Amino acid sequence: AVAFVLRTVCARLAALPRSNLGPMATALLMTAGQKDAESGSLAAGGEVAPPGNRPWTQSTWKWSPQGHRTFDINYVTAGNGPKAVVLVHGFGADVNNWRAVIPFLSKKHTVYALDLLGYGSSEKPTDTPMSIDLWAQQVTDFCHEFLDPETDFVIVGNSIGSLVCVTAAGDAMNSHHSNEFDHLKGVLLYNCAGGMNNKLRTGATLSLSSTWDEWLIFALKPLFAALDRLLKT
C-alpha cells in the first residue's frame, strides 16, 4: 500500500514542470522513481552520484559522553553557508536518509548529518544501553563541538530522530550548552515518533490520580518485559 501511494504521488509530480516543484518534492521524485537513488546520492546537479562520489565529506568524531567511554561517531558535512542545519535520521536508518536532501540544503547552508550511536557507520557498542536521552546528549554535544556559538542553526529530525531533537533542545536549554543553543532558530520534526523507554519507574505505584498514560503503561508492562527478554537474546 505504501509503495502504491508513493508511486501515485511520484506519477503526479512527474507530470508537473520541474520549475513548479520545490526541493523536497524534487528530491522525493528523484529518490522514489525518476532516479535510482538507492545506488548512491544525488549530486549537486540533480544526477545520482555513485557511492564513491557522495556530495559530502565523511568524518569520524571521537565522542566522550559524560559517564561513558569514548565512541566513534560517523558524520558528514556539506556546503559552506552562513547558517547551519543538523540532520538526525530515524529508527533503523543512517546519514543516507538525507542523501536526496543534502544537495539542496548545502547550496545555501552548512549541513551536518550524523549517525546516532548504534546506527550506520557509528560505533555499535554492546556494553551501553541505547536511549533517547543518550542520543539527545550526542546531538547537543555534537552541536557544541562543531557549531560556532554565534552561528544560527536548526536541527531536523525524522521519526525517532525527531524525538531525539526535541529532547536535545529541551535538555540543552537547562544545561551547560544553553549559551550555544541561544542561536537555535528551530526544531523541524518529520513523522515524529512517540516516546520510548516510558516504563514505570521501579517501585512506582498507581492510584486514582495516575494519568491515563501511566495506567496504559502498567497494562502493557508484561509486553515490555517480553520485548526486553527478546532483545537481550
Side-chain angles (χ1 to χ4, degrees):
V2 174
F4 172 77
V5 171
L6 188 57
R7 286 196 299 269
T8 302
V9 171
C10 289
R12 294 295 183 91
L13 291 175
L16 297 174
R18 287 298 176 93
S19 59
N20 291 350
L21 300 180
M24 291 298 292
T26 303
L28 173 64
L29 181 61
M30 301 176 94
T31 302
Q34 300 304 302
K35 298 291 183 180
D36 184 14
E38 292 299 327
S39 63
S41 303
L42 293 178
E47 298 299 322
V48 177
N53 189 28
R54 300 187 186 280
W56 57 54
T57 300
Q58 185 170 355
S59 305
T60 299
W61 168 43
K62 297 290 186 179
W63 177 43
S64 300
Q66 185 176 3
H68 297 275
R69 62 179 178 82
T70 299
F71 302 109
D72 289 336
I73 300 298
N74 178 65
Y75 72 97
V76 300
T77 57
N80 191 30
K83 299 180 181 180
V85 180
V86 179
L87 305 172
V88 184
H89 63 77
F91 185 79
D94 57 21
V95 295
N96 289 290
N97 240 30
W98 309 103
R99 64 186 182 276
V101 178
I102 290 176
F104 295 102
L105 294 177
S106 61
K107 290 179 180 179
K108 294 184 178 180
H109 309 288
T110 301
V111 181
Y112 300 88
L114 66 158
D115 284 339
L116 295 174
L117 184 66
Y119 289 91
S121 297
S122 287
E123 188 171 338
K124 301 171 180 61
T126 58
D127 58 349
T128 303
M130 300 295 103
S131 69
I132 294 296
D133 289 336
L134 181 61
W135 290 324
Q137 184 181 354
Q138 178 183 343
V139 172
T140 54
D141 289 350
F142 183 87
C143 293
H144 173 72
E145 180 78 16
F146 294 100
L147 299 184
D148 186 286
E150 300 302 318
T151 297
D152 292 340
F153 70 101
V154 298
I155 51 179
V156 183
N158 169 242
S159 183
I160 284 178
S162 295
L163 186 57
V164 170
C165 288
V166 169
T167 305
D171 290 347
M173 297 302 177
N174 300 308
S175 73
H176 61 285
H177 293 316
S178 58
N179 291 335
E180 288 87 348
F181 273 68
D182 284 345
H183 286 266
L184 175 64
K185 298 302 179 181
V187 181
L188 280 69
L189 313 178
Y190 291 98
N191 299 322
C192 186
M196 290 181 61
N197 301 327
N198 290 328
K199 304 173 188 176
L200 285 177
R201 298 182 305 277
T202 302
T205 59
L206 293 174
S207 66
L208 292 178
S209 62
S210 298
T211 66
W212 165 250
D213 285 345
E214 289 172 328
W215 280 99
L216 182 60
I217 292 170
F218 179 79
L220 295 175
K221 195 172 182 180
L223 177 60
F224 289 147
L227 289 174
D228 279 344
R229 287 194 297 269
L230 179 63
L231 292 173
K232 289 178 180 178
T233 57

